[in-house]
Amino acid sequence: MSALTDLTLAEARAGLDKREYSAVELTRAHIAAVEAARPLNAVVAETFDRALAGAAASDQRLGAGEAGLLEGVPLGIKDLFCTEGVRSQACSHILDGFKPTYESTVTRKLWAAGALMIGKTNMDEFAMGSSNMTSHEGPAINPWRRSGDNRQLVPGGSSGGSAAAVAARLCLGATGTDTGGSIRQPAAFCGLVGLKPTYGRCSRWGIIAFASSLDQAGPLTRTVRDAALMLRAMAGHDAKDSTSVDTPVPDYAAALGQGVKGMRIGIPAEYRVDGMPDEIEALWRKGADWLKAAGAEPVEITLPHTKYALPTYYIVAPAEASSNLARYDGVRYGLRLKGEDLRDMYAKTRAAGFGQEVRRRVLIGTYVLSAGYYDAYYLQAQKVRSVIARDFKQAFESVDLVLTPTAPSAAFAIGEKMDDPIAMYLNDVFTVPASLAGLPAISVPAGLSADGLPLGLHLIGKPFDEETVLRAAETLEEAAAFRAKPAWLEDGGAP
Amino acid sequence: MSGVVEGRTGPWEMVIGLEIHAQVTSKAKLFSGAATAFGAEPNTQVSLVDAAMPGMLPVINGYCVEQAVRTGLALGAEIKLFSVFDRKNYFYPDLPAGYQISQFSQPVVGHGTVVIDLKDGSTREIGITRLHMEMDAGKSVHDLRADATHVDLNRSGVALMEIVSEPDIRSPEEAGAYVRKLRSILRYVGTCDGNMEEGSLRCDVNISMRRPGEAYGTRAEIKNVNSVRYMMKAIEYEAERQVEILEDGGSVALETRLFDARTSTTRAMRSKEEAHDYRYFPDPDLLPLELDAAWVESLRAGLPELPDAKKARFIEQFGLSPYDAGVLVAEQDSAAFFEAVAAGHDGKLAANWVTGDLFGALKKAGLGIGQSPVSVDRLGGLIERIQDNTISGRIAKEVFEIMFESGRDADTVIAEKGLKQVTDVGAIEAVVDQVIADNPDKTAEFRGGKDKLMGWFVGQVMKASKVKANPQMANQVLAKKLKG
């Protein structure tokens, strides 16, 4: 870690403006960090030459006074984003060698704002997972360690590589995507801020689809302000995505610093789940107290259908995935295995190309959409989904935000929970409801577990009210004064 | 073939429903901006969306929606202000995404009606169940290499309207009349060019047989009928095939069959075991389609006069027979041509000339009405000369032929060829006198009471005048002189 890599994105951006260092120097510092951190397996494709060329151009624009919002800022990009000429494989074997001829809308907007891509980050295959263990590239490693325990931990998932990279100071921020918690849970596991915007806030064009009605891009950063800056660059209407919403993108950073005075914060009773560790519950209470101390009013609310969220999610998401992943058939791009006939080619290619978790979800999704099961599963899930969204709508008639923990536990070790998909799915229990309702939500690092791992608090807001979410997140951030650093940095980079 | 097959055990009635796939006339595809021109080099009209590249999203083409709604309005059908696009999931190399975007449970157009015109001038109503929008698949080419299939994605994503009829059709003739009428309506509103050879209009036939008045039997679906004639042949073959099975005590299989134009037979294409479960569900990449009622009304107001209304008006305004009116309105251009010719002339005469000599000559020359060598004005000019007795109807046919070949106007042809009708009484009297003088026997017979010979005398006079004598005058003069 150097002084340059430990800057926040906002600090680095200010330093570039003052010409305290050049974008090339800032990029070189991060390249060195990425090279040193290869054992973390957070970055699956390094794009140093491109980053350096971009940095030189950024320096020119900085000199000419034409700098963009994220000028000269090195970012990690989740492998789910299609990036022109650079591998974009969703960390799946089936997309072997796939280099798009096009650039996703979100990354195109980031580059237009002056940001630089330092590499593509590791992730669960097709964003299906909460541990990064399902990646075809092998798992990314969480830079944190339990105190007195050297076992390698998962960074969470699916945006695990992005979270590990930002936590290990390999980049100033990273893009993630969140379908049921894939930004927020890894952010919590790695001591970061992770923001899932309102569904429709960021274009999905050029992001490899997992579950179309849930997928949403967002930033992983070390501070709330950094998240506000990145979101401003990423968000906006896109005519190429029919589900993106045409509403102005505010200056999110400008909303910060206003505090939470007078806000009503809903504390949903239903999120006190069985078996939730005391330290999580205690942190949750602490979060409510912090907001209260800052002038907000915590209010007990009820979101009565919360318990149906997880089963609903695990019908809707696999159903859409089973259809979205049908295009990976070996015909036009990616992996193809020879077969005796067409069917055999499909079967061999998809069996070899998809990992176990992806195959499981494709099978579940195919099942719930099948004739005779559609009504009982998919249709019913859609009805429950609208009921869950209604719960939130009603709650938001009396509160401005909902506060919950981000995940029911801290990061777990590689190997734990691996043989029990249900235990793994339970990681998403607090993040999935906001996904189903399409609401903006953020995870903020709020404290450490007894064994020294970061824990996150989770704020859910009204549709397109990311500003209020960010304002309250900043209040939590200030109150929590989270300063702990991952073992990776404390140890000076030893894995 | 009528709609009833006389079996050994009694009569069987055909029950037919048609699914028409009509390609929307649009320069761009349904969910991408790629071009749609027919006959382009393979894979040159393919966008990233059409090839289902990772991360690509469909965006609905508003023009195609407008065309579908206008078609629905032209079919007198209910326009659904809320409809949904679904995914129909199946694996095939020419379906890049592994699903076709279609409308399954909530189509954009509901129930409507098509009035078909039958040969005897009568009409029948055929119900339309629905019209929905969907994207076309690509094309698999199996015969370029023995060990590989080639895929052309030019058609992938092209906008189609699937128009489903009720099982109201009862004979091959009715099926033919239905397709022709539907095609006529589509062309009137300009939403589909109706070209079956190029595949812009495709037809799947559902057919079953039943004892008249009894419940429907099991149907077979026939694909690959790419002309009205083939469709009628396919129905005829399939009806006989099913009757044979039924009379032998067997049962018809619910299956998809392929028409073979070479042998005019059908053969099973997909067996039941291979039946797909398409796992339809609403496409989460597309929002439901919500239409504004006022917008729909503005489209309704902008529709042209449709074939049925035009036909009724032609019957009323020009005194045409339902059959002639039906023939004239089948194509908008023909109807317009006729109407222009009829303006200021006798409507019936105009209809006879347009549907008779003109259509015949055009067909023989392989020309469309738009390429007619005889313009509206010139055909009108010819009809004027008939109406003012300058030439007889018979001479007019000769004049028309020359006009068609030379492109000259009627008066020029009449003058050049000296075909002007003789209306000089003295000249006709001279011819009549000559004919009477030359045929004393026949004259005696006529005067002896054989009135029927009048026709023969007229013929002789016309012949002697080289058909130029005005027939009415020839009659009058003959009657006077023979009886005198």
Side-chain angles (χ1 to χ4, degrees):
Chain A
M1 182 180 63
S2 74
L4 289 182
T5 57
D6 204 34
L7 297 167
T8 68
L9 189 157
E11 288 165 352
R13 188 62 196 78
L16 286 170
D17 266 345
K18 290 187 217 145
R19 312 302 286 150
E20 288 170 8
Y21 37 82
S22 68
V24 169
E25 286 171 307
L26 184 67
T27 302
R28 284 196 195 286
H30 283 95
I31 288 173
V34 173
E35 285 173 333
R38 281 177 185 146
L40 292 179
N41 199 26
V43 177
V44 292
E46 296 167 347
T47 54
F48 299 157
D49 290 348
R50 174 190 164 130
L52 283 170
S58 285
D59 280 328
Q60 287 196 347
R61 283 194 292 274
L62 283 158
E66 296 163 355
L69 182 65
L70 301 179
E71 197 68 61
V73 170
L75 298 177
I77 301 299
K78 191 178 184 179
D79 200 31
L80 203 63
F81 290 79
C82 287
T83 45
E84 190 177 346
V86 178
R87 71 156 269 167
S88 307
Q89 296 175 199
C91 285
S92 178
H93 187 31
I94 207 157
L95 274 168
D96 268 0
F98 179 63
K99 288 183 180 173
T101 58
Y102 47 94
E103 186 76 32
S104 84
T105 298
V106 163
T107 48
R108 187 179 50 73
K109 289 169 85 85
L110 286 170
W111 314 147
L116 311 170
M117 175 164 70
I118 201 152
K120 299 299 283 284
T121 57
N122 205 345
M123 55 180 286
D124 281 297
E125 184 183 4
F126 281 108
M128 297 180 191
S130 308
S131 64
N132 214 116
M133 294 297 294
T134 72
S135 169
H136 181 63
E137 314 294 339
I141 309 298
N142 193 328
W144 291 78
R145 294 281 184 283
R146 289 174 183 140
S147 35
D149 181 344
N150 214 26
R151 270 184 298 168
Q152 289 188 332
L153 305 179
V154 303
S158 65
S159 311
S162 291
V166 178
R169 273 61 174 174
L170 312 187
C171 46
L172 292 167
T175 63
T177 61
D178 191 313
T179 304
S182 279
I183 288 174
R184 293 162 286 161
Q185 184 254 20
F189 278 19
C190 294
L192 301 175
V193 172
L195 172 62
K196 181 198 92 77
T198 311
Y199 183 78
R201 181 71 285 187
C202 294
S203 169
R204 294 185 294 111
W205 193 89
I207 300 174
I208 297 171
F210 162 17
S212 311
S213 74
L214 296 157
D215 296 344
Q216 186 60 204
L220 288 113
T221 54
R222 294 198 287 270
T223 69
V224 172
R225 178 166 296 272
D226 290 357
L229 291 171
M230 266 188 81
L231 180 62
R232 176 137 200 233
M234 294 167 71
H237 177 244
D238 181 4
K240 291 186 287 188
D241 174 3
S242 310
T243 62
S244 90
V245 176
D246 194 1
T247 174
V249 179
D251 181 352
Y252 295 110
L256 299 177
Q258 298 177 44
V260 293
K261 206 167 168 54
M263 280 190 200
R264 289 166 61 87
I265 312 293
I267 311 292
E270 291 78 6
Y271 280 62
R272 279 193 194 88
V273 296
D274 287 346
M276 181 159 73
D278 288 345
E279 59 183 7
I280 303 270
E281 176 131 25
L283 182 74
W284 188 11
R285 256 196 313 274
K286 209 191 261 181
D289 290 345
W290 287 332
L291 292 170
K292 191 175 177 183
E297 184 193 349
V299 192
E300 285 282 328
I301 59 161
T302 176
L303 295 167
H305 300 90
T306 299
K307 65 177 170 184
Y308 302 115
L310 208 55
T312 298
Y313 175 83
Y314 276 98
I315 290 169
V316 173
E320 294 181 9
S322 70
S323 177
N324 283 335
L325 270 56
R327 66 187 57 199
Y328 308 110
D329 57 5
V331 174
R332 284 148 296 130
Y333 44 76
L335 185 74
R336 181 198 289 186
L337 268 64
K338 277 201 187 306
E340 303 199 347
D341 54 21
L342 179 64
R343 257 175 204 230
D344 194 41
M345 187 273 279
Y346 282 152
K348 286 200 168 108
T349 300
R350 287 168 64 84
F354 291 140
Q356 189 187 29
E357 183 61 24
V358 172
R359 289 203 302 273
R360 179 178 4 253
R361 297 199 198 188
V362 167
L363 285 173
I364 291 171
T366 303
Y367 179 83
V368 299
L369 289 176
S370 295
Y373 300 97
Y374 179 85
D375 289 359
Y377 291 101
Y378 185 78
L379 203 59
Q380 184 67 10
Q382 288 295 9
K383 286 180 193 159
V384 176
R385 183 176 181 178
S386 61
V387 169
I388 288 166
R390 200 180 60 204
D391 279 0
F392 278 108
K393 199 162 190 264
Q394 285 169 353
F396 282 127
E397 284 167 13
S398 62
V399 299
D400 301 292
L401 289 165
V402 172
L403 177 73
T404 80
T406 307
S409 74
F412 43 89
I414 287 176
E416 285 175 5
K417 306 192 190 201
M418 299 302 153
D419 48 359
D420 184 357
I422 303 291
M424 190 68 85
Y425 295 169
L426 279 172
N427 255 285
D428 302 330
V429 68
F430 300 139
T431 49
V432 151
S435 293
L436 289 171
L439 301 171
I442 198 167
S443 179
V444 184
L448 292 175
S449 66
D451 48 8
L453 293 179
L455 297 171
L457 281 174
H458 184 219
L459 287 162
I460 305 168
K462 296 173 186 172
F464 296 99
D465 192 11
E466 282 82 2
E467 288 166 288
T468 300
V469 171
L470 286 161
R471 273 170 65 187
E474 190 190 36
T475 298
L476 288 177
E477 184 180 49
E478 282 167 4
F482 185 87
R483 300 280 182 268
K485 285 188 176 163
W488 174 262
L489 301 177
E490 302 294 339
D491 301 350
Chain B
M1 188 184 206
S2 80
V4 175
V5 176
E6 290 297 338
R8 297 189 306 274
T9 59
W12 297 88
E13 184 184 42
M14 297 180 192
V15 176
I16 301 162
L18 298 179
E19 289 170 22
I20 306 278
H21 286 90
Q23 179 179 332
V24 176
T25 301
S26 162
K27 289 194 172 70
K29 294 182 178 180
L30 183 54
F31 297 112
S32 83
T36 58
F38 178 78
E41 284 294 302
N43 295 313
T44 55
Q45 298 183 156
V46 187
S47 75
L48 295 167
V49 175
D50 307 322
M53 299 304 283
M56 291 301 97
L57 300 171
V59 176
I60 185 81
N61 176 341
Y63 181 73
C64 293
V65 175
E66 183 178 325
Q67 297 291 69
V69 170
R70 291 180 69 242
T71 305
L73 290 168
L75 297 174
E78 184 194 354
I79 305 302
K80 308 282 190 180
L81 298 180
F82 183 92
S83 66
V84 174
F85 287 99
D86 297 287
R87 290 185 186 178
K88 178 180 180 177
N89 296 282
Y90 65 95
F91 284 95
Y92 205 67
D94 60 23
L95 187 71
Y99 56 83
Q100 178 194 31
I101 305 175
S102 181
Q103 295 191 298
F104 181 57
S105 55
Q106 291 172 276
V108 66
V109 175
H111 199 271
T113 310
V114 167
V115 177
I116 59 169
D117 304 275
L118 299 170
K119 280 236 166 65
D120 62 2
S122 68
T123 59
R124 261 202 77 203
E125 284 194 1
I126 306 297
I128 299 289
T129 312
R130 60 186 282 167
L131 176 155
H132 69 254
M133 281 181 276
E134 63 184 30
M135 52 171 269
D136 206 350
K139 195 170 76 177
S140 291
V141 184
H142 300 291
D143 51 8
L144 290 181
R145 254 169 65 180
D147 62 336
T149 291
H150 290 73
V151 177
D152 176 7
L153 295 179
N154 281 353
R155 286 196 71 89
S156 169
V158 162
L160 303 177
M161 298 178 283
E162 180 171 333
I163 304 166
V164 182
S165 87
E166 296 284 328
D168 289 348
I169 299 164
R170 292 288 173 272
S171 70
E173 285 72 25
E174 288 187 9
Y178 172 81
V179 173
R180 280 192 293 265
K181 186 56 171 285
L182 196 61
R183 187 167 59 184
S184 168
I185 293 169
L186 291 167
R187 285 174 173 166
Y188 262 66
V189 291
T191 57
C192 170
D193 66 23
N195 190 326
M196 291 185 89
E197 291 75 45
E198 290 180 6
S200 15
L201 195 78
R202 284 171 276 165
C203 185
D204 297 340
V205 182
N206 283 291
I207 172 169
S208 64
M209 304 301 292
R210 68 169 178 186
R211 295 293 189 190
E214 287 184 7
Y216 295 149
T218 306
R219 67 190 159 80
E221 184 182 7
I222 310 168
K223 288 190 181 287
N224 199 34
V225 284
N226 52 16
S227 77
V228 172
R229 200 165 59 89
Y230 286 159
M231 178 188 69
M232 292 168 69
K233 277 182 183 288
I235 292 170
E236 285 169 18
Y237 172 83
E238 185 61 19
E240 296 283 2
R241 188 189 72 88
Q242 291 188 12
V243 165
E244 258 179 55
I245 292 172
L246 294 168
E247 297 223 310
D248 288 345
S251 53
V252 173
L254 181 66
E255 63 184 359
T256 303
R257 300 180 67 83
L258 212 58
F259 178 68
D260 183 341
R262 205 170 37 82
T263 57
S264 288
T265 58
T266 67
R267 63 170 191 274
M269 179 178 148
R270 235 184 253 145
S271 76
K272 241 184 186 173
E273 302 88 85
E274 288 173 80
H276 283 114
D277 178 354
Y278 291 118
R279 293 171 282 123
Y280 284 100
F281 75 108
D283 190 329
D285 286 333
L286 292 162
L287 303 171
L289 187 60
E290 292 184 62
L291 306 179
D292 176 42
W295 178 75
V296 173
E297 284 318 304
S298 75
L299 294 183
R300 190 194 304 275
L303 287 181
E305 184 185 31
L306 294 168
D308 289 337
K310 203 182 276 287
K311 181 182 167 188
R313 184 168 63 78
F314 280 8
I315 293 170
E316 168 75 24
Q317 188 177 336
F318 300 110
L320 305 189
S321 72
Y323 179 80
D324 279 352
V327 169
L328 282 170
V329 303
E331 298 288 345
Q332 216 165 7
D333 290 350
S334 304
F337 192 101
F338 157 74
E339 215 171 342
V341 173
H345 301 110
D346 181 71
K348 269 181 151 165
L349 201 52
N352 287 341
W353 275 93
V354 172
T355 61
D357 295 78
L358 179 64
F359 279 6
L362 288 172
K363 196 174 173 187
K364 212 168 138 189
L367 297 173
I369 189 87
Q371 305 150 301
S372 173
V374 177
S375 67
V376 165
D377 286 347
R378 292 200 167 165
L379 186 58
L382 177 65
I383 291 169
E384 246 158 61
R385 293 299 159 259
I386 302 166
Q387 282 182 285
D388 69 9
N389 282 327
T390 304
I391 51 173
S392 67
R394 206 171 134 201
I395 288 291
K397 286 180 183 293
E398 203 181 320
V399 172
F400 176 83
E401 273 178 35
I402 298 166
M403 287 169 72
F404 195 90
E405 275 156 30
S406 66
R408 280 175 294 180
D409 65 67
D411 287 342
T412 309
V413 173
I414 292 165
E416 272 180 15
K417 301 274 172 183
L419 295 170
K420 193 169 173 346
Q421 188 161 240
V422 176
T423 50
D424 172 354
V425 179
I428 293 174
E429 277 178 343
V431 176
V432 169
D433 288 342
Q434 189 62 48
V435 168
I436 291 172
D438 289 350
N439 297 285
D441 299 353
K442 291 274 198 287
T443 304
E445 279 181 48
F446 180 87
R447 288 182 176 152
K450 205 167 176 186
D451 290 356
K452 280 180 186 165
L453 275 174
M454 187 64 182
W456 182 86
F457 275 107
V458 173
Q460 292 304 304
V461 170
M462 295 308 287
K463 201 169 155 188
S465 73
K466 299 202 174 81
V467 208
K468 287 184 286 184
N470 177 300
Q472 278 89 38
M473 291 178 73
N475 252 300
Q476 284 166 12
V477 173
L478 265 169
K480 199 175 76 189
K481 298 236 173 200
L482 282 169
K483 281 169 188 161

